[in-house]
Amino acid sequence: MTGALQGRFITLEGGEGSGKSTLIKALADRAKEHDISTVITREPGGTPLAEAVRSVALNPPEETEISPLTEALLMNAARVDHLEKLIRPALESGQWVLCDRFADSTLAYQSVSGEVAMATLLSLEAAVLEWSRPDLTLILDADPEILLKRRASRAEGDDSFEARPLAFHRSVRETFLQIAKRNPERCTVLDAEQAPGRLLEEAWATIEAHCLSGAGRA
Protein backbone atom coordinates (compact mmCIF):
# COMPACT_ATOMS: atom_id res chain seq x y z
CA MET A 1 0.00 0.00 0.00
CA THR A 2 2.89 2.36 0.73
CA GLY A 3 3.95 2.31 -2.89
CA ALA A 4 0.43 3.10 -4.13
CA LEU A 5 -0.18 6.12 -1.93
CA GLN A 6 1.64 9.41 -1.63
CA GLY A 7 2.24 11.18 1.64
CA ARG A 8 -0.63 12.40 3.78
CA PHE A 9 -0.47 15.14 6.37
CA ILE A 10 -2.72 14.55 9.39
CA THR A 11 -2.82 16.89 12.38
CA LEU A 12 -4.34 16.38 15.83
CA GLU A 13 -5.63 19.36 17.77
CA GLY A 14 -7.40 19.87 21.08
CA GLY A 15 -7.09 21.09 24.64
CA GLU A 16 -4.41 20.22 27.15
CA GLY A 17 -4.84 16.61 28.25
CA SER A 18 -7.27 15.64 25.48
CA GLY A 19 -5.28 12.51 24.60
CA LYS A 20 -3.53 13.59 21.41
CA SER A 21 -0.21 11.95 22.28
CA THR A 22 -1.84 8.61 23.13
CA LEU A 23 -4.03 8.64 20.03
CA ILE A 24 -1.24 9.60 17.65
CA LYS A 25 0.86 6.61 18.74
CA ALA A 26 -2.11 4.29 18.32
CA LEU A 27 -2.81 5.69 14.86
CA ALA A 28 0.80 5.11 13.84
CA ASP A 29 0.50 1.48 14.98
CA ARG A 30 -2.74 1.09 13.02
CA ALA A 31 -1.13 2.63 9.92
CA LYS A 32 1.76 0.16 10.22
CA GLU A 33 -0.77 -2.68 10.05
CA HIS A 34 -1.75 -1.26 6.65
CA ASP A 35 1.88 -1.04 5.49
CA ILE A 36 1.85 2.75 5.73
CA SER A 37 5.10 4.39 6.79
CA THR A 38 4.50 7.22 9.25
CA VAL A 39 6.43 10.00 10.91
CA ILE A 40 5.19 11.17 14.32
CA THR A 41 6.04 14.74 15.21
CA ARG A 42 4.75 17.65 17.28
CA GLU A 43 4.49 21.41 17.49
CA PRO A 44 6.20 23.37 18.58
CA GLY A 45 9.02 20.93 17.94
CA GLY A 46 10.07 18.23 15.51
CA THR A 47 13.52 19.63 14.69
CA PRO A 48 16.37 20.72 16.99
CA LEU A 49 15.64 24.40 16.40
CA ALA A 50 11.88 23.99 16.85
CA GLU A 51 12.41 21.94 20.04
CA ALA A 52 14.55 24.79 21.42
CA VAL A 53 11.68 27.18 20.70
CA ARG A 54 9.31 24.77 22.45
CA SER A 55 11.45 24.84 25.57
CA VAL A 56 11.34 28.64 25.72
CA ALA A 57 7.63 28.95 24.89
CA LEU A 58 6.35 26.27 27.29
CA ASN A 59 8.81 26.95 30.09
CA PRO A 60 10.02 30.55 29.80
CA PRO A 61 12.85 31.82 32.00
CA GLU A 62 11.78 32.64 35.55
CA GLU A 63 9.84 35.90 35.88
CA THR A 64 9.68 36.25 32.11
CA GLU A 65 6.32 37.00 30.52
CA ILE A 66 5.90 36.19 26.83
CA SER A 67 3.22 38.23 25.08
CA PRO A 68 0.68 36.46 22.83
CA LEU A 69 2.20 38.14 19.76
CA THR A 70 5.68 36.96 20.74
CA GLU A 71 4.26 33.46 21.26
CA ALA A 72 2.70 33.56 17.79
CA LEU A 73 5.97 34.68 16.21
CA LEU A 74 7.91 31.98 18.06
CA MET A 75 5.45 29.27 17.00
CA ASN A 76 5.59 30.35 13.37
CA ALA A 77 9.38 30.58 13.36
CA ALA A 78 9.55 27.02 14.71
CA ARG A 79 6.95 25.95 12.12
CA VAL A 80 9.04 27.21 9.19
CA ASP A 81 11.97 25.04 10.29
CA HIS A 82 9.67 22.10 10.99
CA LEU A 83 8.10 22.29 7.54
CA GLU A 84 11.36 22.74 5.67
CA LYS A 85 13.39 20.09 7.46
CA LEU A 86 10.89 17.40 8.44
CA ILE A 87 7.30 17.65 7.24
CA ARG A 88 7.78 18.47 3.55
CA PRO A 89 10.66 15.99 3.00
CA ALA A 90 8.65 13.21 4.67
CA LEU A 91 5.57 13.89 2.54
CA GLU A 92 7.65 14.08 -0.62
CA SER A 93 9.16 10.66 0.19
CA GLY A 94 5.66 9.18 0.43
CA GLN A 95 5.41 8.95 4.20
CA TRP A 96 2.43 9.98 6.27
CA VAL A 97 3.05 12.72 8.80
CA LEU A 98 1.06 12.59 12.05
CA CYS A 99 1.54 15.88 13.88
CA ASP A 100 0.51 16.64 17.47
CA ARG A 101 -0.66 20.27 17.03
CA PHE A 102 -0.07 22.54 14.07
CA ALA A 103 -1.22 25.93 12.81
CA ASP A 104 -4.74 25.64 14.25
CA SER A 105 -3.26 25.67 17.75
CA THR A 106 -1.62 29.01 17.07
CA LEU A 107 -4.95 30.41 15.91
CA ALA A 108 -6.71 29.02 18.99
CA TYR A 109 -4.21 29.85 21.71
CA GLN A 110 -2.81 33.21 20.62
CA SER A 111 -6.18 34.71 19.62
CA VAL A 112 -7.82 34.09 23.00
CA SER A 113 -9.29 37.25 24.55
CA GLY A 114 -8.46 39.15 21.39
CA GLU A 115 -4.79 39.44 22.36
CA VAL A 116 -3.71 38.96 18.75
CA ALA A 117 -6.08 39.78 15.90
CA MET A 118 -7.20 36.73 13.93
CA ALA A 119 -6.34 38.59 10.72
CA THR A 120 -2.73 38.93 11.91
CA LEU A 121 -2.51 35.25 12.77
CA LEU A 122 -4.02 34.22 9.44
CA SER A 123 -1.57 36.45 7.57
CA LEU A 124 1.36 34.81 9.36
CA GLU A 125 -0.13 31.38 8.68
CA ALA A 126 -0.48 32.07 4.94
CA ALA A 127 3.14 33.22 4.68
CA VAL A 128 4.49 30.24 6.61
CA LEU A 129 2.35 27.38 5.32
CA GLU A 130 2.02 28.33 1.64
CA TRP A 131 0.81 25.03 0.09
CA SER A 132 1.70 22.86 3.10
CA ARG A 133 -1.71 22.44 4.69
CA PRO A 134 -3.04 19.31 6.39
CA ASP A 135 -5.09 16.80 4.44
CA LEU A 136 -7.05 16.07 7.61
CA THR A 137 -7.30 17.58 11.09
CA LEU A 138 -8.76 15.62 14.00
CA ILE A 139 -9.97 17.94 16.76
CA LEU A 140 -10.22 16.15 20.10
CA ASP A 141 -12.98 17.91 21.99
CA ALA A 142 -13.69 17.65 25.72
CA ASP A 143 -14.93 19.70 28.65
CA PRO A 144 -11.94 21.69 29.97
CA GLU A 145 -12.92 20.82 33.56
CA ILE A 146 -12.61 17.12 32.76
CA LEU A 147 -9.24 17.74 31.10
CA LEU A 148 -8.10 19.69 34.17
CA LYS A 149 -8.84 16.64 36.33
CA ARG A 150 -6.93 14.42 33.90
CA ARG A 151 -3.89 16.69 34.10
CA ALA A 152 -4.11 16.81 37.89
CA SER A 153 -3.84 13.01 38.01
CA ARG A 154 -0.54 13.06 36.16
CA ALA A 155 2.76 13.15 38.03
CA GLU A 156 3.96 16.07 35.93
CA GLY A 157 3.99 19.80 36.51
CA ASP A 158 1.98 22.11 34.26
CA ASP A 159 3.73 24.07 31.53
CA SER A 160 2.96 27.75 30.91
CA PHE A 161 -0.11 26.92 28.80
CA GLU A 162 -1.53 24.17 30.99
CA ALA A 163 -1.29 26.42 34.05
CA ARG A 164 -3.56 29.09 32.59
CA PRO A 165 -7.05 29.72 34.05
CA LEU A 166 -10.01 27.52 33.18
CA ALA A 167 -11.63 30.43 31.33
CA PHE A 168 -8.64 30.49 28.96
CA HIS A 169 -9.05 26.81 28.15
CA ARG A 170 -12.78 27.24 27.59
CA SER A 171 -12.03 29.97 25.05
CA VAL A 172 -9.46 27.77 23.33
CA ARG A 173 -12.04 24.99 23.07
CA GLU A 174 -14.58 27.32 21.49
CA THR A 175 -12.02 28.59 18.99
CA PHE A 176 -11.16 25.04 17.92
CA LEU A 177 -14.86 24.34 17.37
CA GLN A 178 -15.17 27.53 15.31
CA ILE A 179 -12.18 26.47 13.21
CA ALA A 180 -13.87 23.12 12.58
CA LYS A 181 -17.07 24.85 11.45
CA ARG A 182 -15.15 27.08 9.05
CA ASN A 183 -13.21 24.12 7.59
CA PRO A 184 -15.62 21.16 7.42
CA GLU A 185 -13.79 19.61 4.47
CA ARG A 186 -10.59 19.31 6.55
CA CYS A 187 -11.64 19.14 10.20
CA THR A 188 -13.46 16.41 12.08
CA VAL A 189 -14.42 16.86 15.74
CA LEU A 190 -14.11 13.75 17.92
CA ASP A 191 -15.38 13.20 21.45
CA ALA A 192 -12.22 13.00 23.56
CA GLU A 193 -14.18 12.08 26.69
CA GLN A 194 -14.91 8.57 25.40
CA ALA A 195 -12.75 5.51 26.01
CA PRO A 196 -9.36 5.58 24.20
CA GLY A 197 -10.20 2.44 22.21
CA ARG A 198 -13.43 3.90 20.90
CA LEU A 199 -11.70 7.18 20.10
CA LEU A 200 -9.08 5.29 18.11
CA GLU A 201 -11.73 3.47 16.06
CA GLU A 202 -13.55 6.71 15.24
CA ALA A 203 -10.30 8.45 14.35
CA TRP A 204 -9.17 5.63 12.09
CA ALA A 205 -12.56 5.46 10.37
CA THR A 206 -12.24 9.19 9.64
CA ILE A 207 -8.74 8.68 8.24
CA GLU A 208 -9.94 5.83 6.03
CA ALA A 209 -12.71 8.03 4.62
CA HIS A 210 -10.46 11.03 3.98
CA CYS A 211 -7.09 9.52 3.16
CA LEU A 212 -7.57 5.96 1.94
CA SER A 213 -10.60 6.32 -0.32
CA GLY A 214 -8.54 7.26 -3.36
CA ALA A 215 -5.00 6.91 -4.64
CA GLY A 216 -2.60 9.81 -4.56
CA ARG A 217 -2.57 13.15 -2.86
CA ALA A 218 -4.16 16.28 -4.27
Side-chain angles (χ1 to χ4, degrees):
M1 183 177 292
T2 306
L5 292 174
Q6 296 181 16
R8 298 284 183 173
F9 185 16
I10 300 170
T11 57
L12 278 70
E13 300 282 9
E16 309 295 334
S18 57
K20 299 184 308 305
S21 298
T22 299
L23 178 59
I24 208 168
K25 292 175 184 176
L27 289 173
D29 289 341
R30 182 65 61 87
K32 186 176 181 181
E33 294 173 5
H34 291 262
D35 297 322
I36 298 170
S37 176
T38 62
V39 172
I40 294 178
T41 189
R42 65 180 182 177
E43 287 217 344
T47 66
L49 176 60
E51 289 290 337
V53 172
R54 180 186 183 88
S55 179
V56 172
L58 272 61
N59 299 285
E62 190 174 351
E63 299 182 359
T64 298
E65 282 193 26
I66 300 179
S67 73
L69 179 57
T70 300
E71 287 177 350
L73 293 170
L74 285 170
M75 299 301 179
N76 278 288
R79 187 164 297 129
V80 170
D81 197 66
H82 194 199
L83 282 166
E84 291 179 349
K85 296 178 181 175
L86 190 151
I87 294 175
R88 287 171 182 157
L91 292 172
E92 289 166 2
S93 72
Q95 293 179 294
W96 284 27
V97 175
L98 306 179
C99 190
D100 184 342
R101 297 200 183 282
F102 193 60
D104 291 323
S105 278
T106 303
L107 296 181
Y109 280 76
Q110 277 68 63
S111 69
V112 168
S113 302
E115 292 288 348
V116 183
M118 185 63 75
T120 299
L121 294 171
L122 288 171
S123 179
L124 286 169
E125 178 183 292
V128 170
L129 266 57
E130 297 179 326
W131 50 268
S132 301
R133 297 181 180 273
D135 295 292
L136 174 65
T137 297
L138 303 176
I139 296 179
L140 276 57
D141 179 60
D143 185 334
E145 290 193 48
I146 290 177
L147 298 184
L148 177 61
K149 292 177 182 177
R150 282 188 189 177
R151 297 198 303 275
S153 68
R154 300 184 316 201
E156 303 173 7
D158 287 344
D159 62 38
S160 63
F161 290 98
E162 292 171 333
R164 294 181 184 183
L166 192 59
F168 175 89
H169 295 288
R170 289 194 179 109
S171 295
V172 167
R173 180 192 191 187
E174 288 306 312
T175 306
F176 275 130
L177 294 176
Q178 290 168 15
I179 290 170
K181 288 181 180 179
R182 291 197 300 267
N183 301 275
E185 74 291 342
R186 172 174 65 85
C187 298
T188 296
V189 178
L190 301 175
D191 180 6
E193 296 180 23
Q194 62 184 317
R198 180 59 184 164
L199 179 59
L200 170 61
E201 294 307 321
E202 288 192 5
W204 185 254
T206 302
I207 288 173
E208 285 186 317
H210 282 75
C211 302
L212 291 173
S213 58
R217 183 171 183 266

